[in-house]
Amino acid sequence: MNKYGINVPKGVAVSTIDEVKEAVKSAFPNENELVVKSQILAGGRGLGTFQNGFKGGVHIVKADQVEDIAGKMLGQILVTKQTGPQGKVVGKVYLCEKLSLVNEMYFAITLDRKTAGPLIIACSKGGTSIEDLAEKYPDMIIKVPVDVFKGITDEDAARVVDGLAPKVADRNDSIEQVKKLYKLFCERDCTLLEINPLAETSSNQLVAADAKLNFDDNAAFRQKEIFALRDPSQEDPREVAAAKADLNYIGLDGEIGCMVNGAGLAMATMDIIKFHGGTPANFLDVGGNASEGQVVEAFKILTSDDKVKAILVNIFGGIMKCDVIASGIVNAAKQVALKVPVVVRLEGTNVDQGKRILKVKWKCDGCNFIIS
């Protein structure tokens, strides 16, 4: 953000106590107080609790206390509303200058299906979740769609600033900050840019006091600098393994593992499971041209989830051939100790060959396959 001329607090990310000591000395020699923020991919850090009993993932402390507070965070597991009870390990903390804020607002840019382009959301109240803001101050939230071909205009930016209603920051400077934020959003292939709070300081400056950015995975090839910062330790290990195998996987909290080809059929399969009283453990789309190896990897991911009580394979073979899926399942059964029943529904290309492969395997090895 700083590279784009957006006002941000001075800060340094550190991962060890030695780095903390050095950062306080070199980056903040004249600061009496600093903000220490645990760095995890989840919200609600300030109200979170560490499993070691330490409360709060964000603290404002005296400069001589930074080392002690950082030591209670680094390497520890922080549990917030968004992490689930398992929490996330804090591998880094962010040290930044304490700002004197006089007003807090909310600002975001996201992608909107209705207008088929970027949508800027602004609210003159900030510092809390947008869901709470929408409930308490629905009339204060304004939405400004931006024509993706024309780009943001001075009029668009002015409407956003009017919605923010800054009290002390210069209006023209604020308009320029909005335009710079939009430029960042587009040039860096963001899917979300959220600043909460976007604040005014006692020096009459508009500052992005805290921010969250999401990036389009499909743009990784041209955003190498950003994607090099990816931290797999902060992600679901099943999703990391799926990405390596080029599988579309999202982990859920249910007990029926799903392996389907095609996103539409995958969503419909999850709906059917829910309709009949079950709960899907995941979304898993193997795509239209999955190899046997990918099917094996998919089964490894599904069976690595202790909550899974059964697996449903639902394949409609168009481009994807049913015999390839069946061979992958058979190979997976050889490599993975299948302790749960597997229901396999095959239709389409090479369906008879696929069912034959599974039936032979079932008869030979006694695998718990139910073929539909």
Side-chain angles (χ1 to χ4, degrees), residues 266-316:
M267 295 296 289
T269 302
M270 293 165 67
D271 287 343
I272 291 169
I273 290 171
K274 193 72 175 174
F275 181 77
H276 287 282
T279 51
N282 62 277
F283 168 97
L284 174 55
D285 169 20
V286 297
N289 59 350
S291 65
E292 283 187 29
Q294 285 176 298
V295 176
V296 171
E297 288 303 314
F299 256 83
K300 287 180 180 178
I301 293 167
L302 292 178
T303 55
S304 69
D305 188 343
D306 294 335
K307 297 192 293 292
V308 169
K309 302 291 191 298
I311 296 173
L312 172 60
V313 180
N314 189 10
I315 300 296
F316 181 79

Side-chain angles (χ1 to χ4, degrees), residues 58-363:
V58 178
H59 286 263
I60 300 173
V61 298
K62 299 291 185 183
D64 59 3
Q65 296 176 320
V66 170
E67 186 181 331
D68 177 54
I69 296 299
K72 293 177 180 177
M73 296 181 179
L74 286 169
Q76 300 299 320
I77 297 174
L78 177 60
V79 180
T80 77
K81 283 184 178 180
Q82 293 186 15
T83 64
Q86 73 280 2
K88 287 186 179 291
V89 176
V90 176
K92 290 185 179 182
V93 295
Y94 191 69
L95 311 179
C96 66
E97 63 178 321
K98 179 193 172 187
L99 297 176
S100 176
L101 307 181
V102 297
N103 186 30
E104 296 185 359
M105 300 156 284
Y106 177 90
F107 176 94
I109 309 177
T110 188
L111 295 173
D112 182 43
R113 285 175 179 263
K114 187 176 180 181
T115 60
L119 180 72
I120 301 178
I121 303 170
C123 182
S124 57
K125 300 283 186 181
T128 186
S129 72
I130 186 60
E131 293 83 5
D132 291 340
L133 293 173
E135 184 178 344
K136 294 179 182 177
Y137 312 106
D139 297 334
M140 290 187 178
I141 296 175
I142 66 128
K143 298 177 181 179
V144 180
V146 179
D147 187 316
V148 72
F149 298 106
K150 293 180 181 176
I152 191 167
T153 64
D154 289 339
E155 182 181 359
D156 292 333
R159 285 176 60 198
V160 173
V161 171
D162 289 341
L164 293 170
K167 296 176 180 177
V168 297
D170 180 80
R171 176 180 169 79
N172 291 331
D173 288 347
S174 299
I175 288 173
E176 288 304 311
Q177 285 288 296
V178 169
K179 290 163 71 174
K180 288 174 181 177
L181 285 164
Y182 180 81
K183 182 180 181 183
L184 164 63
F185 180 86
C186 294
E187 291 187 1
R188 292 297 186 171
D189 292 298
C190 297
T191 55
L192 173 69
L193 187 160
E194 183 181 50
I195 302 175
N196 189 20
L198 178 64
E200 292 179 279
T201 67
S202 54
S203 57
N204 299 346
Q205 192 177 44
L206 194 67
V207 175
D210 204 353
K212 171 184 176 181
L213 287 83
N214 290 350
F215 302 93
D216 186 352
D217 288 338
N218 295 308
F221 71 96
R222 64 171 170 244
Q223 302 294 349
K224 293 178 181 177
E225 181 186 0
I226 290 171
F227 280 83
L229 300 172
R230 185 173 183 175
D231 182 0
S233 70
Q234 289 293 309
E235 302 175 41
D236 186 326
R238 298 170 299 174
E239 294 181 12
V240 174
K244 287 180 180 176
D246 199 22
L247 298 167
N248 297 310
Y249 177 94
I250 299 173
L252 302 172
D253 295 324
E255 56 187 17
I256 299 177
C258 307
M259 186 171 77
V260 190
N261 68 313
L265 183 59
M267 295 296 289
T269 302
M270 293 165 67
D271 287 343
I272 291 169
I273 290 171
K274 193 72 175 174
F275 181 77
H276 287 282
T279 51
N282 62 277
F283 168 97
L284 174 55
D285 169 20
V286 297
N289 59 350
S291 65
E292 283 187 29
Q294 285 176 298
V295 176
V296 171
E297 288 303 314
F299 256 83
K300 287 180 180 178
I301 293 167
L302 292 178
T303 55
S304 69
D305 188 343
D306 294 335
K307 297 192 293 292
V308 169
K309 302 291 191 298
I311 296 173
L312 172 60
V313 180
N314 189 10
I315 300 296
F316 181 79
I319 301 172
M320 184 74 254
K321 296 185 175 85
C322 294
D323 58 325
V324 173
I325 289 289
S327 296
I329 294 173
V330 168
N331 287 332
K334 292 176 182 176
Q335 298 181 39
V336 179
L338 288 174
K339 299 178 182 177
V340 297
V342 180
V343 179
V344 184
R345 182 260 186 184
L346 300 174
E347 283 296 342
T349 306
N350 295 350
V351 61
D352 292 334
Q353 294 97 310
K355 288 184 177 179
R356 194 178 305 119
I357 290 169
L358 291 175
K359 285 177 181 176
V360 170
K361 174 67 181 175
W362 179 75
K363 287 178 181 176

